[in-house]
Amino acid sequence: MGKHNVRPDIDAAAEKFAPSIGSRREIEQLPSVLWEGETVDMLASGTYGGGGGLVALTNLRLVFFKHGIMSQKLEDFPLGNISSVQWSAGLLMGTLSVFASGNRADIKQVPKPHGEALSGRLRMLIATAQAPTAPAAPALAAAPTGVQDVASRLATLDQLRAAGAITDAEYQERRAAILASI
């Protein structure tokens, strides 16, 4: 898929996962539904609630966005509310089932390679968010909350790189952004 020149994170996700050609309008309008500081990691196309649209995994939530001429639809699932993810696929397409806040949402007609990658990344994010942590070392226990947050963000970033969920370039870019936020 060609370059959209929307935003660097959205362009990179669009090139990496090549959503369907019909998703161009959604990709171009995606910045209007993103929160401040929210970055896009992955994109895929799919259908939800009877309409085709764009599935975007950001650093904060999973978003289904349809921007049609006559109507728009936005459904989002904050990552902290997602308890589990299920992926089922046929030969070419599959269904991504998201369990959040006691509800189930089925995003259908997701291309198989994109759905597999998306569900894998979501599972990793859920696991790292819910993983039990070891007791804090005395030096870390006395650290201010901001330092603990930076340390946990860096640890999560290390886990994502070790699992192959992000590239070395993405790792370096996000690490620099985390350290710059101090």
PDB file of all heavy atoms in Angstrom, residues 1-8 10-12 14-15 24 27-28:
ATOM      1  N   MET A   1       0.849  -1.175   0.000  1.00  0.00           N
ATOM      2  CA  MET A   1       0.000   0.000   0.000  1.00  0.00           C
ATOM      3  C   MET A   1       0.887   1.228   0.000  1.00  0.00           C
ATOM      4  O   MET A   1       1.892   1.272   0.687  1.00  0.00           O
ATOM      5  CB  MET A   1      -0.903  -0.029   1.230  1.00  0.00           C
ATOM      6  CG  MET A   1      -1.849   1.120   1.308  1.00  0.00           C
ATOM      7  SD  MET A   1      -3.062   0.816   2.586  1.00  0.00           S
ATOM      8  CE  MET A   1      -4.499   0.797   1.585  1.00  0.00           C
ATOM      9  N   GLY A   2       0.509   2.238  -0.757  1.00  0.00           N
ATOM     10  CA  GLY A   2       1.331   3.431  -0.881  1.00  0.00           C
ATOM     11  C   GLY A   2       1.379   4.234   0.405  1.00  0.00           C
ATOM     12  O   GLY A   2       0.567   4.075   1.293  1.00  0.00           O
ATOM     13  N   LYS A   3       2.331   5.151   0.415  1.00  0.00           N
ATOM     14  CA  LYS A   3       2.494   6.003   1.582  1.00  0.00           C
ATOM     15  C   LYS A   3       1.333   6.980   1.682  1.00  0.00           C
ATOM     16  O   LYS A   3       0.895   7.546   0.691  1.00  0.00           O
ATOM     17  CB  LYS A   3       3.817   6.749   1.468  1.00  0.00           C
ATOM     18  CG  LYS A   3       4.220   7.418   2.732  1.00  0.00           C
ATOM     19  CD  LYS A   3       5.725   7.394   2.848  1.00  0.00           C
ATOM     20  CE  LYS A   3       6.181   8.161   4.047  1.00  0.00           C
ATOM     21  NZ  LYS A   3       6.308   7.371   5.211  1.00  0.00           N
ATOM     22  N   HIS A   4       0.827   7.174   2.872  1.00  0.00           N
ATOM     23  CA  HIS A   4      -0.338   8.029   3.081  1.00  0.00           C
ATOM     24  C   HIS A   4       0.038   9.440   3.496  1.00  0.00           C
ATOM     25  O   HIS A   4      -0.759  10.346   3.380  1.00  0.00           O
ATOM     26  CB  HIS A   4      -1.264   7.421   4.145  1.00  0.00           C
ATOM     27  CG  HIS A   4      -1.876   6.141   3.696  1.00  0.00           C
ATOM     28  ND1 HIS A   4      -2.976   6.100   2.882  1.00  0.00           N
ATOM     29  CD2 HIS A   4      -1.535   4.864   3.927  1.00  0.00           C
ATOM     30  CE1 HIS A   4      -3.292   4.843   2.632  1.00  0.00           C
ATOM     31  NE2 HIS A   4      -2.430   4.078   3.263  1.00  0.00           N
ATOM     32  N   ASN A   5       1.228   9.619   4.052  1.00  0.00           N
ATOM     33  CA  ASN A   5       1.670  10.924   4.549  1.00  0.00           C
ATOM     34  C   ASN A   5       0.702  11.499   5.570  1.00  0.00           C
ATOM     35  O   ASN A   5       0.362  12.674   5.537  1.00  0.00           O
ATOM     36  CB  ASN A   5       1.896  11.901   3.398  1.00  0.00           C
ATOM     37  CG  ASN A   5       3.039  11.474   2.517  1.00  0.00           C
ATOM     38  OD1 ASN A   5       4.071  11.016   3.007  1.00  0.00           O
ATOM     39  ND2 ASN A   5       2.863  11.594   1.218  1.00  0.00           N
ATOM     40  N   VAL A   6       0.223  10.627   6.466  1.00  0.00           N
ATOM     41  CA  VAL A   6      -0.695  11.059   7.518  1.00  0.00           C
ATOM     42  C   VAL A   6       0.107  11.449   8.751  1.00  0.00           C
ATOM     43  O   VAL A   6       0.071  12.587   9.198  1.00  0.00           O
ATOM     44  CB  VAL A   6      -1.711   9.945   7.868  1.00  0.00           C
ATOM     45  CG1 VAL A   6      -2.613  10.364   8.999  1.00  0.00           C
ATOM     46  CG2 VAL A   6      -2.526   9.572   6.640  1.00  0.00           C
ATOM     47  N   ARG A   7       0.822  10.501   9.290  1.00  0.00           N
ATOM     48  CA  ARG A   7       1.684  10.664  10.455  1.00  0.00           C
ATOM     49  C   ARG A   7       2.689   9.535  10.391  1.00  0.00           C
ATOM     50  O   ARG A   7       2.353   8.441   9.915  1.00  0.00           O
ATOM     51  CB  ARG A   7       0.839  10.506  11.732  1.00  0.00           C
ATOM     52  CG  ARG A   7       0.729  11.715  12.552  1.00  0.00           C
ATOM     53  CD  ARG A   7      -0.125  11.598  13.769  1.00  0.00           C
ATOM     54  NE  ARG A   7       0.007  10.398  14.559  1.00  0.00           N
ATOM     55  CZ  ARG A   7      -0.731  10.139  15.636  1.00  0.00           C
ATOM     56  NH1 ARG A   7      -1.642  10.991  16.014  1.00  0.00           N
ATOM     57  NH2 ARG A   7      -0.578   9.033  16.305  1.00  0.00           N
ATOM     58  N   PRO A   8       3.907   9.709  10.871  1.00  0.00           N
ATOM     59  CA  PRO A   8       4.915   8.641  10.738  1.00  0.00           C
ATOM     60  C   PRO A   8       4.480   7.292  11.317  1.00  0.00           C
ATOM     61  O   PRO A   8       4.689   6.257  10.685  1.00  0.00           O
ATOM     62  CB  PRO A   8       6.134   9.197  11.482  1.00  0.00           C
ATOM     63  CG  PRO A   8       5.968  10.683  11.424  1.00  0.00           C
ATOM     64  CD  PRO A   8       4.482  10.930  11.431  1.00  0.00           C
ATOM     65  N   ILE A  10       1.401   6.125  11.783  1.00  0.00           N
ATOM     66  CA  ILE A  10       0.311   5.564  10.988  1.00  0.00           C
ATOM     67  C   ILE A  10       0.828   5.080   9.643  1.00  0.00           C
ATOM     68  O   ILE A  10       0.473   3.998   9.182  1.00  0.00           O
ATOM     69  CB  ILE A  10      -0.826   6.603  10.815  1.00  0.00           C
ATOM     70  CG1 ILE A  10      -1.441   6.925  12.182  1.00  0.00           C
ATOM     71  CG2 ILE A  10      -1.883   6.101   9.844  1.00  0.00           C
ATOM     72  CD1 ILE A  10      -2.431   8.078  12.178  1.00  0.00           C
ATOM     73  N   ASP A  11       1.695   5.861   9.021  1.00  0.00           N
ATOM     74  CA  ASP A  11       2.284   5.451   7.736  1.00  0.00           C
ATOM     75  C   ASP A  11       3.055   4.149   7.881  1.00  0.00           C
ATOM     76  O   ASP A  11       2.936   3.248   7.045  1.00  0.00           O
ATOM     77  CB  ASP A  11       3.208   6.539   7.192  1.00  0.00           C
ATOM     78  CG  ASP A  11       2.454   7.782   6.741  1.00  0.00           C
ATOM     79  OD1 ASP A  11       1.224   7.706   6.553  1.00  0.00           O
ATOM     80  OD2 ASP A  11       3.108   8.828   6.571  1.00  0.00           O
ATOM     81  N   ALA A  12       3.850   4.036   8.948  1.00  0.00           N
ATOM     82  CA  ALA A  12       4.640   2.813   9.163  1.00  0.00           C
ATOM     83  C   ALA A  12       3.722   1.613   9.375  1.00  0.00           C
ATOM     84  O   ALA A  12       3.969   0.536   8.822  1.00  0.00           O
ATOM     85  CB  ALA A  12       5.569   2.994  10.362  1.00  0.00           C
ATOM     86  N   ALA A  14       0.633   1.284   8.314  1.00  0.00           N
ATOM     87  CA  ALA A  14      -0.085   1.016   7.064  1.00  0.00           C
ATOM     88  C   ALA A  14       0.804   0.264   6.076  1.00  0.00           C
ATOM     89  O   ALA A  14       0.338  -0.652   5.394  1.00  0.00           O
ATOM     90  CB  ALA A  14      -0.580   2.318   6.446  1.00  0.00           C
ATOM     91  N   GLU A  15       2.071   0.622   6.008  1.00  0.00           N
ATOM     92  CA  GLU A  15       2.978  -0.067   5.086  1.00  0.00           C
ATOM     93  C   GLU A  15       3.306  -1.471   5.574  1.00  0.00           C
ATOM     94  O   GLU A  15       3.413  -2.401   4.776  1.00  0.00           O
ATOM     95  CB  GLU A  15       4.253   0.742   4.903  1.00  0.00           C
ATOM     96  CG  GLU A  15       4.024   1.929   4.003  1.00  0.00           C
ATOM     97  CD  GLU A  15       5.309   2.557   3.526  1.00  0.00           C
ATOM     98  OE1 GLU A  15       6.332   1.853   3.454  1.00  0.00           O
ATOM     99  OE2 GLU A  15       5.272   3.749   3.204  1.00  0.00           O
ATOM    100  N   ARG A  24      -8.445   3.430   2.978  1.00  0.00           N
ATOM    101  CA  ARG A  24      -7.694   4.676   2.807  1.00  0.00           C
ATOM    102  C   ARG A  24      -8.339   5.843   3.565  1.00  0.00           C
ATOM    103  O   ARG A  24      -7.655   6.604   4.239  1.00  0.00           O
ATOM    104  CB  ARG A  24      -7.546   5.007   1.330  1.00  0.00           C
ATOM    105  CG  ARG A  24      -6.725   6.255   1.077  1.00  0.00           C
ATOM    106  CD  ARG A  24      -6.436   6.447  -0.397  1.00  0.00           C
ATOM    107  NE  ARG A  24      -5.563   7.567  -0.620  1.00  0.00           N
ATOM    108  CZ  ARG A  24      -4.246   7.525  -0.481  1.00  0.00           C
ATOM    109  NH1 ARG A  24      -3.654   6.415  -0.143  1.00  0.00           N
ATOM    110  NH2 ARG A  24      -3.521   8.604  -0.696  1.00  0.00           N
ATOM    111  N   ILE A  27      -7.708   5.524   7.259  1.00  0.00           N
ATOM    112  CA  ILE A  27      -6.310   5.813   7.606  1.00  0.00           C
ATOM    113  C   ILE A  27      -6.086   7.315   7.633  1.00  0.00           C
ATOM    114  O   ILE A  27      -5.458   7.853   8.551  1.00  0.00           O
ATOM    115  CB  ILE A  27      -5.349   5.110   6.617  1.00  0.00           C
ATOM    116  CG1 ILE A  27      -5.404   3.594   6.833  1.00  0.00           C
ATOM    117  CG2 ILE A  27      -3.923   5.629   6.787  1.00  0.00           C
ATOM    118  CD1 ILE A  27      -4.676   2.783   5.782  1.00  0.00           C
ATOM    119  N   GLU A  28      -6.611   8.022   6.646  1.00  0.00           N
ATOM    120  CA  GLU A  28      -6.423   9.471   6.583  1.00  0.00           C
ATOM    121  C   GLU A  28      -7.147  10.198   7.712  1.00  0.00           C
ATOM    122  O   GLU A  28      -6.695  11.246   8.175  1.00  0.00           O
ATOM    123  CB  GLU A  28      -6.889   9.995   5.223  1.00  0.00           C
ATOM    124  CG  GLU A  28      -5.967   9.550   4.100  1.00  0.00           C
ATOM    125  CD  GLU A  28      -6.486   9.882   2.712  1.00  0.00           C
ATOM    126  OE1 GLU A  28      -7.650  10.352   2.594  1.00  0.00           O
ATOM    127  OE2 GLU A  28      -5.731   9.661   1.745  1.00  0.00           O
TER     128      GLU A  28
END
